[in-house]
Amino acid sequence: MSTARAQKTREEQPLAVEVIEGRDAFNSLEREWNAALARGPRDEPMLRHEWIRAWIENFAPGSTLRTFVARMGKELHAAVPLVESRDRDADTCFLPLTTWALPVNDHSQRGGILLGARAEEALPLVFETIVAAPGWDRLRLRDLPHGTAEWTLRDLAERDGLRCGIWTSLRSPYRILPEMQKPVLVANGGRKQKGGQAPQSRYELVEASLDSKFRQNLRRRRRRLAEQGETRYVLLDGKDQEALDVALADFFAIEASGWKGQGGTAIAQRPELVGFYTQIARDAAKRGALALGFLEHQGVRIAAHLSLVHNAKHYLVKLGYDESFHEYSPGQQLTSEAIRDSCDRGLSEFDFLGPDMEWKRDWEPALRTHSWLTIFRSIGKAKLVHEARFVIWPVARAAAREVASRVRSFRGGAGFARVASRGAAAGAQHGEG
């Protein structure tokens, strides 16, 4: 049988959908899961089996877990792991709802589901199985990047008459790394072209695109710090387990040294965060994807980033610095070195991940929009919550903003009228006009 005919026969075989219950069954999927991810439309580290397993083990170890999978033989083509929670809070209008949600939170950076080679066919089959399953009131898929295949679920839900709610959660910065252009010979009569020297590297192309004031400040602060003592960038791949453990401890200490530690949000202050980030770092190190970078000044680590390099992209997971060095912008110096390293490796993109922040904007990034997709079952209380959260509340909020705007305008106009009246009276008193 020819290769083309064998491939066609293989693709024509029907997909089977099944529900896998529990953590042990989910853990058994690792090899086929990651193989399918590499063949699918979104091969990102936060969708790998190791990342999701680390999330479940640290953030929801006792929760009910169901994984809906579509496969042909042993090959996965779609998989949707859903963690169950029973909610009764402001988000549910204090009505009891059972939520099935992707294992995603603020520390996941980005949400999504596993889609393999036959994702277009597999996703509707998995969704039909989820919709038919009893026990849920709403499905929640957090932080889905706009334009990805997962948004097909919204179309499928609305086709089936299910109500959907969308809330935009992140506009996450990312920077496409430039390619060096081939030199072009231009006749100029042997005269030297005006302007500065042409960029000699991909990183110099990045620098050339930045705001001149930011670029100059960064160079000046790098020079001032170097004048105080030797400063260097150190990058660890984690192959030495003992060195990795020491480096992670240093990273957690640096990250907790500033406002995060004072506010109680540092990784080191919560055991589940230490467990999660340690686990994803160790797993990444095993497959050669870890980039744990430090800015060392006079032998002391003063800034650190935890990153993953995957599928020709740099993913900046976490960054922190010793705020006693704030005047030297150690965080931006560290980011500069990480971007330079990404350019040297031949990577195509530097993904800052997380929310849009001023320090990220300095690097002239584009923004990738993410939203939550919530799908409500067609039952009374779920419909009521959808109506309140995604119909009544937005209208009421818009009306409140309009009223506030009118009040401000009225007060401003009345204030101007009072000032003008007083001015006219004063002018009359002094014989003006």
Side-chain angles (χ1 to χ4, degrees), residues 235-359:
L235 190 62
L236 303 179
D237 58 15
K239 292 180 180 179
D240 184 328
Q241 180 66 57
E242 185 175 347
L244 174 59
D245 290 343
V246 172
L248 285 173
D250 288 345
F251 168 73
F252 295 146
I254 291 170
E255 199 257 353
S257 65
W259 63 268
K260 290 184 179 180
Q262 297 170 4
T265 62
I267 294 173
Q269 294 170 315
R270 292 174 56 187
E272 69 273 20
L273 296 184
V274 173
F276 175 70
Y277 286 104
T278 298
Q279 205 165 322
I280 63 172
R282 288 175 176 172
D283 286 331
K286 289 177 183 177
R287 66 178 189 277
L290 179 67
L292 185 57
F294 293 92
L295 194 67
E296 292 187 355
H297 179 64
Q298 295 183 321
V300 178
R301 290 169 170 171
I302 64 170
H305 72 78
L306 172 61
S307 300
L308 303 183
V309 175
H310 181 83
N311 200 22
K313 297 178 182 179
H314 182 117
Y315 294 87
L316 182 64
V317 178
K318 280 288 181 181
L319 181 146
Y321 62 90
D322 183 341
E323 293 189 3
S324 66
F325 288 86
H326 177 75
E327 63 180 298
Y328 302 106
S329 299
Q332 291 291 40
Q333 289 196 43
L334 184 70
T335 303
S336 170
E337 296 295 344
I339 294 175
R340 186 193 303 273
D341 174 71
S342 298
C343 290
D344 292 343
R345 290 178 187 237
L347 304 185
S348 62
E349 182 179 310
F350 190 92
D351 197 333
F352 289 88
L353 298 176
D356 184 18
M357 302 177 75
E358 186 176 351
W359 71 268

Side-chain angles (χ1 to χ4, degrees), residues 92 162 228 264 291 313:
T92 69
L162 301 177
Q228 307 300 316
K313 297 178 182 179

Side-chain angles (χ1 to χ4, degrees), residues 199-273:
Q200 301 299 306
S201 69
R202 297 178 71 204
Y203 178 74
E204 288 185 8
L205 286 174
V206 173
E207 275 200 327
S209 70
L210 303 177
D211 176 77
S212 59
K213 184 177 180 180
F214 169 69
R215 183 171 62 244
Q216 292 165 7
N217 284 339
L218 184 63
R219 290 174 177 173
R220 182 175 66 253
R221 289 168 183 174
R222 183 185 294 126
R223 184 174 62 252
R224 286 175 53 205
L225 183 61
E227 290 171 353
Q228 307 300 316
E230 182 187 13
T231 304
R232 64 181 188 136
Y233 178 60
V234 177
L235 190 62
L236 303 179
D237 58 15
K239 292 180 180 179
D240 184 328
Q241 180 66 57
E242 185 175 347
L244 174 59
D245 290 343
V246 172
L248 285 173
D250 288 345
F251 168 73
F252 295 146
I254 291 170
E255 199 257 353
S257 65
W259 63 268
K260 290 184 179 180
Q262 297 170 4
T265 62
I267 294 173
Q269 294 170 315
R270 292 174 56 187
E272 69 273 20
L273 296 184

Side-chain angles (χ1 to χ4, degrees), residues 355-370:
D356 184 18
M357 302 177 75
E358 186 176 351
W359 71 268
K360 299 176 185 179
R361 282 290 186 97
D362 287 333
W363 293 96
E364 305 288 349
L367 296 177
R368 182 177 282 120
T369 303
H370 302 65

Side-chain angles (χ1 to χ4, degrees), residues 72-124:
M72 184 190 68
K74 291 185 177 180
E75 183 178 351
L76 286 179
H77 291 276
V80 184
L82 295 171
V83 176
E84 181 176 304
S85 63
R86 300 181 185 275
D87 306 314
R88 188 171 188 169
D89 51 27
D91 187 47
T92 69
C93 301
F94 299 99
L95 292 175
L97 291 185
T98 298
T99 303
W100 288 3
L102 291 179
V104 175
N105 62 9
D106 290 342
H107 298 277
S108 303
Q109 308 294 340
R110 179 171 298 145
I113 63 179
L114 170 66
L115 297 173
R118 294 171 65 180
E120 187 175 350
E121 175 188 356
L123 190 56

Side-chain angles (χ1 to χ4, degrees), residues 16-74:
V17 181
E18 61 180 310
V19 184
I20 297 175
E21 303 276 355
R23 281 173 50 188
D24 291 341
F26 170 79
N27 290 344
S28 69
L29 298 173
E30 180 176 351
R31 180 174 295 182
E32 54 189 309
W33 183 291
N34 290 333
L37 184 68
R39 292 189 288 266
R42 276 189 67 199
D43 184 5
E44 296 186 273
M46 58 285 298
L47 301 183
R48 286 183 63 87
H49 189 277
E50 301 94 329
W51 184 291
I52 299 171
R53 186 187 68 237
W55 191 98
I56 293 168
E57 291 178 355
N58 289 282
F59 297 120
S63 298
T64 299
L65 172 67
R66 298 176 182 85
T67 306
F68 294 78
V69 302
R71 67 166 87 227
M72 184 190 68
K74 291 185 177 180

